[in-house]
Every structure is written in C-alpha cells, then in structure tokens.
C-alpha cells in the first residue's frame, strides 16, 4: 500500500521526457482570475459608480507587442454590476499604477492630472535649456522676479492683517473678569439656596417632632384626666383624693391626709369650711367658768372686742388631737351645734 501524501512520482528506467507531446496554446489566451477594482470608476453606459476594492471575476490576458523594460503588460476585463457592460483596464508598470482603457472613467484623478501636467512642463523646459544657454538665463531671471513678487504680496497681506486686526487686550481681560464674577455670584447663590433648603428641611422636621411630642403629651394628659375622672382643671379643688393615711386611730380607722391649705381654710365641700372666717359670739351657757354678773350684764365695748379677737385667733389656729385630726372638724361640729 502506497503512502497517502506522495510528493515524488515513480519514473521507469525507460522514461523519455522528449516523447511527451507539448500543448500549443495561443499567447493571447485568457485566464479567469479573482481581483478587486484598483480605483474608483464610473460606468459610461449606465452611470453606476464602482468603488475601489469591489471584487470581480475578471478575465486576464497579456497585451501583445507592449513591453516596459522587458516586463509584460496585462489587460483585465470586468462587467458593470448594474448593466453588465464590459470595462477594461491594464497595468502601468511605469507609474506603478493601473490605466483606464475602455467602458468607464476614473474618478478622483484631478491631482494625478495636475502632477502629470507639471511633469510635462518641467520636461519641456529641461529640453529647451539643454541646448540654449540664453534660455537658461531668461528662466532664472523670470523665477527671481516671480519670487520677489510673491514675497511683496505676502508682506502686504501681513501689514493689512495687522492694521485690521486691532486686538483689545484690556477689553478681553475685562470680559474675562466679568465672566468670572458672574460665575462666582452664581455659585454663591446656589450655595445660599442649598443652605436655605437644608434649613427649611430641618425646621420642618423639628416642627413635626414637636407636633408629635405635643400630641403625645395631650394624649397622656387626656388619659390621666380620664383616669382621675375630672372634666375641668378646677374640679380637683372640690374633690377629695384618696391619699395615704398619716396615722391610725385607736380603733384602727385610717385618716386621710390633710393638706396644708385645708388646715388653714378647709375644704370647699364641707359646711363649716368657712366657719373660721366668721366670728360668732358665744353664749354664757357654753362657757365652763362662771362669769361675773357685772361682766355678763353690761359688757363694755373693750371687753367685746377682746373676746372677738381671742375667738378669731383660736379659730384661725388649728388644734391637733391625739389621733392626728385637725381642729377644723371640731370647729365645723361646733358651728353645726350652734345652728341647731
């Protein structure tokens, strides 16, 4: 079994290459090649633009009787992408480029045409100067005059621009300062506005917190008032609160705590609350000690006034008993007995 990839062929010992017949092919035969358009062109038939780099399946042939320094020149045949018209171009080894031949016109060739024209003029001038020394002198004087004119025109243009262009440096600096000042003012206003917004937000937050606190206090007060059962602030004066007993009596009965203002004035709800403020004349029967007849029969004004003052003093001073109760209750009891 032979190898799969064989590069060398077997030649028998009696092989004669001269006996192999040679193919007689024409020299202008054509080959099908794949190429890209070497430049931008426009079809003459339909006006379709064919851009550089577009790919074609072209036919290639060798141009007969045309050589450049022994190098052959090749011609290519392509078809328009729109109307299928035939377009031909060939190689140009002299300029290392391609030359348009038939069926289309080359675009963007103005620069190349100008360069070619300049080359032709330069070549003609060199040919004239080659055999005519006077022509060389004339061309040099002509070039020097043209150079002087160009320099003069350039200087005039510079002077004209300097006269017309009057730059006001002070105005430029003032405008820059004004612009910078406005920018600073704008930044300052923005900072103030932001600060004001922040303060407003903090104030609103504090107001909300204070409102919530006041609502909580009102709720607590309302709950306390409901627990106490008082509808008005002054009801506390007319109600007796259960307080801790200051002491117990001999019988074990607890007494309510008496406030300092009740000791001097008394409660508003009792009948004898204002008894200490009213001075009443005591009858003779209520006095334990015997009173002389003369004093009882004809009391003088001086003795009456003394009696009233002593009674008022005794009434104003609270007298505490053994069980811790005040004398106000006793005064109230006296006043009740007197009224009966």
């Amino acid at each position: 079994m032979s190898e799969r990839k064989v590069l060398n062929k077997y030649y028998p010992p009696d092989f004669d290459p001269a006996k192999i017949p040679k193919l007689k092919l024409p020299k202008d035969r054509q080959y099908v090649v794949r190429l890209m358009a070497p430049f931008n062109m426009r079809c003459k038939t339909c006006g379709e633009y064919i851009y550089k780099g577009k790919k074609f399946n072209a036919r290639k042939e060798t141009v007969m009787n045309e050589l450049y320094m022994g190098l052959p020149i090749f011609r290519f045949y392509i078809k328009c992408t729109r109307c299928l018209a035939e377009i031909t171009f060939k190689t140009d080894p002299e300029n290392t480029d391609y030359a348009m031949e038939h069926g289309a016109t080359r675009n963007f060739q103005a620069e190349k045409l100008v360069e070619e024209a300049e080359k032709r003029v330069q070549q003609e001038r060199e040919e004239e100067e080659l055999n005519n020394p006077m022509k060389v002198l004339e061309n040099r004087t002509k070039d020097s005059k043209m150079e002087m004119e160009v320099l003069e025109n350039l200087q005039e243009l510079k002077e004209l621009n300097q006269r017309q262009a009057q730059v006001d440096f002070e105005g430029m600096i003032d405008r820059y300062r004004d612009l910078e000042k406005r920018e600073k003012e704008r930044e300052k206003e923005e900072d103030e506005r932001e600060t004001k917004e922040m303060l407003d937000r903090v104030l609103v937050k504090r107001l909300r917190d204070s409102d919530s606190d006041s609502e909580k206090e009102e709720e607590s007060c309302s709950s306390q008032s409901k627990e106490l059962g008082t509808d008005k602030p002054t009801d506390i004066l007319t109600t007796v609160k259960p307080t801790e007993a200051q002491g117990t009596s001999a019988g074990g009965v607890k007494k309510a705590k008496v406030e300092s203002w009740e000791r001097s004035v008394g409660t508003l709800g009792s009948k004898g609350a204002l008894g200490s403020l009213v001075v009443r004349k005591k009858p003779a029967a209520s006095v334990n000690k015997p009173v002389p007849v003369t004093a009882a029969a004809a009391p003088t004004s001086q003795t009456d006034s003394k009696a009233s003052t002593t009674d008022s003093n005794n009434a104003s001073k609270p007298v505490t008993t053994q069980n811790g109760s005040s004398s106000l209750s006793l005064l109230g009891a006296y006043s009740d007995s007197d009224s009966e």
Side-chain angles (χ1 to χ4, degrees), residues 114-319:
V114 170
E115 290 178 357
E116 290 178 355
E118 289 179 355
K119 286 182 180 179
R120 285 197 301 268
V121 171
Q122 187 69 19
Q123 189 176 1
E124 291 175 359
R125 181 176 177 178
E126 289 177 356
E127 290 177 356
E128 289 178 356
E129 292 178 353
L130 185 60
N131 298 322
N132 191 356
M134 295 300 294
K135 191 69 175 177
V136 175
L137 184 59
E138 289 177 1
N139 291 335
R140 286 179 181 176
T141 54
K142 190 184 291 185
D143 292 340
S144 61
K145 287 181 180 179
M146 187 177 293
E147 186 176 358
M148 293 296 293
E149 289 178 359
V150 169
L151 292 174
E152 289 178 358
N153 294 333
L154 183 61
Q155 189 66 25
E156 289 178 359
L157 290 174
K158 288 182 178 179
E159 292 177 357
L160 182 62
N161 290 334
Q162 288 179 358
R163 287 197 300 269
Q164 291 179 356
Q166 295 178 357
V167 181
D168 189 7
F169 295 99
E170 296 295 334
M172 291 174 64
I173 293 172
D174 293 336
R175 285 195 297 271
Y176 176 76
R177 287 177 179 173
D178 294 338
L179 181 62
E180 188 177 3
K181 185 178 180 180
R182 287 196 298 270
E183 188 69 20
K184 288 182 178 179
E185 291 177 355
R186 186 179 62 81
E187 291 178 358
K188 186 177 180 180
E189 291 177 357
E190 289 180 358
D191 294 338
E192 291 178 355
R193 181 173 54 79
E194 291 178 358
T195 305
K196 186 177 180 181
E197 290 178 357
M198 292 173 66
L199 292 175
D200 292 341
R201 286 197 295 269
V202 172
L203 181 60
V204 170
K205 185 177 180 181
R206 288 183 177 178
L207 290 175
R208 288 178 180 175
D209 295 338
S210 62
D211 292 339
S212 63
D213 294 337
S214 62
E215 289 176 359
K216 289 180 180 177
E217 290 177 359
E218 290 176 0
E219 290 177 0
S220 62
C221 292
S222 63
S223 62
Q224 290 178 2
S225 62
K226 288 180 180 179
E227 291 176 359
L228 296 174
T230 57
D231 296 333
K232 296 180 182 180
T234 56
D235 290 345
I236 194 171
L237 300 175
T238 59
T239 58
V240 178
K241 295 185 293 182
T243 57
E244 295 180 0
Q246 291 181 352
T248 56
S249 61
V253 180
K254 294 183 179 180
K255 299 296 181 177
K257 182 180 179 181
V258 180
E259 298 292 339
S260 61
W261 60 272
E262 291 179 353
R263 294 175 184 174
S264 61
V265 178
T267 57
L268 297 177
S270 61
K271 292 182 180 180
L274 301 177
S276 61
L277 302 177
V278 179
V279 178
R280 293 184 181 185
K281 185 176 181 181
K282 294 182 180 181
S286 62
V287 181
N288 294 328
K289 294 181 179 182
V291 180
V293 177
T294 57
T300 60
S301 62
Q302 188 175 2
T303 57
D304 292 337
S305 62
K306 287 181 180 181
S308 63
T309 54
T310 54
D311 291 340
S312 62
N313 291 331
N314 293 329
S316 61
K317 293 181 180 179
V319 179

